[in-house]
Amino acid sequence: MKIRSVVFMVVALLLTGCSDRPPKEYVHDVLLPMTPVKNQGTSELCWAYAMLATIETEHILRGDSVNLSAVYVGRMLKEYQTAFFKHQHSNTSQRAMCQTALNLMARYGVVGYDVLPDDATKELSSPKWVFMLGAKYTPLEFAHSVCAPDEYLSLTCCPDSPYYKKIEVPVPDNWEHNRLLNIPLDTLKAHTDRALQHRHPVCWESRGHAMAIVGMAHDKAGKPYYVMKNSWGTDQPHGGLVYMPADEMWRDVIALYMTKEAYSLE
């Protein structure tokens, strides 16, 4: 396993417990197609990887295919933070909410993974153009072609705040002061399961990590799990996927993101 920060190691143990638990066999109830598992390395850009992975799977299910660069989003984060904190002490942390990835795409665009992959060094400059299927886009035009403004809903569950209102989630990663739609937990669960069953991915965020939910499964005892696409490379159990017990997923959830189409399913 590659060296990571202490925080990431703790999260890895909480999510998988791989070193302590014997291998399990899972039966997939839903497993959505996905682009190859990526590796965020020692960066804190899990929120960007998770959100982009969700968008990528959504496109595959539409008969399209995009593979997006979280490194580019990370570079734009630095530029954005300079403007956002212009007369204050600048925030140099890479931590943010998944909503920040959508905001950065809407402001600065996005590029393909092939031109700015995970192992891109500082010497590899960010491209000014994106070429796709014979068309030429600016990064901003390309971002709008793969994720329309307001295409995704940002959801949370905070019982101490009014339901069906947008609220600011009080966590340090929400330095942008994003406001998310607050709904009851049972309703959030129903929308999430319905989205997955109708072949829509969902982006999941906790206080320590973010991943894309790409499926549902159960073990031999019938215990339910959510199948997560992680961003720590394929040198992990299950090729980089995480089988998270449903009760743990809901206990740790801070925010979920899905398309408006997925949310409106009956």
Side-chain angles (χ1 to χ4, degrees):
M1 182 181 292
K2 296 182 179 179
I3 297 174
R4 304 185 188 280
S5 68
V6 173
V7 172
F8 275 31
M9 289 298 297
V10 172
V11 171
L13 291 173
L14 288 174
L15 292 182
T16 62
C18 301
S19 61
D20 297 323
R21 299 177 185 174
K24 280 191 175 183
E25 294 183 8
Y26 301 96
V27 176
H28 291 129
D29 303 304
V30 176
L31 185 62
L32 305 180
M34 66 198 85
T35 56
V37 171
K38 299 181 175 67
N39 193 337
Q40 69 186 78
T42 58
S43 79
E44 296 181 295
L45 297 174
C46 61
W47 49 273
Y49 281 89
M51 194 69 243
L52 296 185
T54 303
I55 294 170
E56 290 164 357
T57 288
E58 186 71 39
H59 270 264
I60 292 173
L61 292 165
R62 297 175 186 175
D64 193 6
S65 180
V66 293
N67 200 7
L68 305 173
S69 173
V71 171
Y72 180 85
V73 174
R75 290 183 180 184
M76 295 305 104
L77 174 69
K78 292 183 179 180
E79 185 172 332
Y80 180 51
Q81 286 174 330
T82 299
F84 191 88
F85 297 101
K86 52 187 174 182
H87 297 304
Q88 308 172 39
H89 177 67
S90 180
N91 180 3
T92 58
S93 171
Q94 289 185 312
R95 293 182 63 89
M97 296 191 74
C98 299
Q99 177 67 48
T100 304
L102 297 173
N103 297 344
L104 289 169
M105 288 176 65
R107 184 179 179 120
Y108 299 103
V110 74
V111 302
Y113 179 83
D114 58 335
V115 296
L116 213 58
D118 294 338
D119 59 358
T121 63
K122 294 180 180 179
E123 289 70 32
L124 184 59
S125 60
S126 300
K128 296 183 178 179
W129 301 99
V130 178
F131 298 91
M132 181 70 65
L133 299 176
K136 178 181 178 181
Y137 304 89
T138 65
L140 188 58
E141 290 170 340
F142 181 60
H144 288 171
S145 74
V146 300
C147 184
D150 300 323
E151 181 176 342
Y152 281 80
L153 281 176
S154 305
L155 306 167
T156 190
C157 178
C158 183
D160 295 332
S161 298
Y163 287 133
Y164 300 104
K165 303 285 186 181
K166 287 193 174 183
I167 64 169
E168 182 177 325
V169 179
V171 294
D173 291 351
N174 192 19
W175 47 264
E176 277 190 295
H177 308 292
N178 291 304
R179 297 177 66 83
L180 287 70
L181 181 63
N182 187 34
I183 61 177
L185 184 59
D186 285 348
T187 304
L188 190 58
K189 289 180 179 180
H191 279 289
T192 299
D193 290 353
R194 193 178 298 123
L196 292 166
Q197 290 160 358
H198 285 79
R199 300 181 65 75
H200 289 277
V202 177
C203 188
W204 172 88
E205 184 171 46
S206 71
R207 290 183 182 272
H209 197 42
M211 296 184 282
I213 311 176
V214 294
M216 304 170 73
H218 63 273
D219 62 18
K220 290 183 177 180
K223 182 177 179 178
Y225 295 78
Y226 288 95
V227 186
M228 310 286 214
K229 181 185 179 185
N230 204 357
S231 53
W232 291 349
T234 56
D235 188 20
Q236 303 286 328
H238 310 294
L241 297 181
V242 170
Y243 289 79
M244 181 178 288
D247 56 349
E248 291 184 23
M249 196 279 272
W250 290 115
R251 181 194 66 205
D252 296 338
V253 69
I254 294 295
L256 292 173
Y257 307 82
M258 65 183 71
T259 63
K260 290 181 177 178
E261 178 184 355
Y263 182 81
S264 63
L265 290 167
E266 298 293 341

